[in-house]
Amino acid sequence: MSFRNSVTIIASQRRRVGKTLLARLLTDFNLQEGRAVAAFDLNAGEETLAQFLPEHVTRSAIDDVKGQMALFDRLIGDDGVTKIVDLGHASFESFFALASQMGFAEEARSRGIAPVLLYLLTPDHTSVEAYRRLGSRLSEATLVPVHNEILGPAEYRDKYGLMGSATEVVRLPVLAPSLRKYVETPPFSFADSRIAVALDEPIDVNIELQRWLRRIYLEFRKLNLRVLLTDLKSSIRL
């Protein structure tokens, strides 16, 4: 299993830590790799995933049983589609409580789907405790810490007690200020160069953007290999 047949949940209990940016990048990365992608937006507010990628994103809610079943049925559907979930901070607890009760990660693996959880690290105690609980609530998922470098040095990693494969942190590089006004304007796409042209993106900005993308896409390729290795080890144990 790899990104080609996976469901990746991007989560944090904190707002404005880069979840939606990471979800956008991962969606566009998979599109550029030639994969079919279905993304799910469980975020409320402005500049949500659905605003940037309307053709590939379904706005979802888990406030009632109908919404819960609609979302989880899609996530574990054995359709060969790469799935990405942008999990808003307000839905964090209810989503993972449901996932645990339903045996979501175990069911995904039984269908040949790799469950991956990208957790954005922040230094506060609440976030640290939530990360530790996730390791037991979704033990069959590949839990991957993410450090958004705009939040500063990753010294607080020690608070998380990262062990095993979780010590390999995905790094989200700082976005240069000159890129922000383009990248943060919907419906900007990292995969569709026509949008950059429409926004009249200067050549120097485009060069800097491509340099930045190469860094994060390298992180995704390393993550893809890690998912493959995790599944190989699991199959050997079986």
Side-chain angles (χ1 to χ4, degrees), residues 12-187:
S12 171
Q13 281 200 317
R14 293 289 171 255
R15 58 191 308 175
R16 304 192 67 82
V17 294
K19 293 189 300 294
T20 297
L21 175 60
L22 186 59
R24 290 171 54 200
L25 284 161
L26 190 57
T27 300
D28 277 336
F29 168 76
N30 280 289
L31 289 171
Q32 288 179 302
E33 293 288 297
R35 301 181 183 112
V37 181
F40 302 87
D41 189 342
L42 275 78
N43 242 316
E46 300 177 355
E47 297 182 3
T48 60
L49 186 61
Q51 288 180 296
F52 286 94
L53 294 159
E55 294 181 5
H56 302 282
V57 176
T58 300
R59 289 188 181 272
S60 303
I62 51 175
D63 300 329
D64 54 38
V65 173
K66 182 178 180 180
Q68 294 164 10
M69 296 305 297
L71 175 62
F72 283 97
D73 282 350
R74 287 289 308 279
L75 295 183
I76 59 175
D78 187 9
D79 51 13
V81 175
T82 300
K83 284 114 176 177
I84 297 164
V85 179
D86 182 13
L87 182 61
H89 72 284
S91 300
F92 183 96
E93 182 56 36
S94 55
F95 178 90
F96 287 115
L98 282 167
S100 179
Q101 293 168 12
M102 298 169 65
F104 161 71
E106 293 83 356
E107 182 64 24
R109 285 206 179 275
S110 73
R111 299 185 182 205
I113 300 168
V116 182
L117 173 56
L118 299 184
Y119 188 91
L120 284 105
L121 306 178
T122 56
D124 55 284
H125 177 74
T126 300
S127 180
V128 173
E129 288 303 310
Y131 176 87
R132 291 174 179 170
R133 287 197 302 273
L134 286 177
S136 57
R137 295 173 87 175
L138 274 75
S139 60
E140 290 298 315
T142 302
L143 179 57
V144 181
V146 179
H147 173 56
N148 187 346
E149 293 182 348
I150 200 171
L151 300 177
E155 297 172 357
Y156 55 80
R157 283 176 49 188
D158 293 341
K159 295 182 178 181
Y160 283 80
L162 303 178
M163 297 180 295
S165 62
T167 57
E168 296 293 329
V169 178
V170 169
R171 300 182 184 280
L172 181 58
V174 176
L175 187 64
S178 60
L179 302 179
R180 287 190 176 278
K181 75 171 184 176
Y182 299 98
V183 169
E184 295 179 353
T185 302

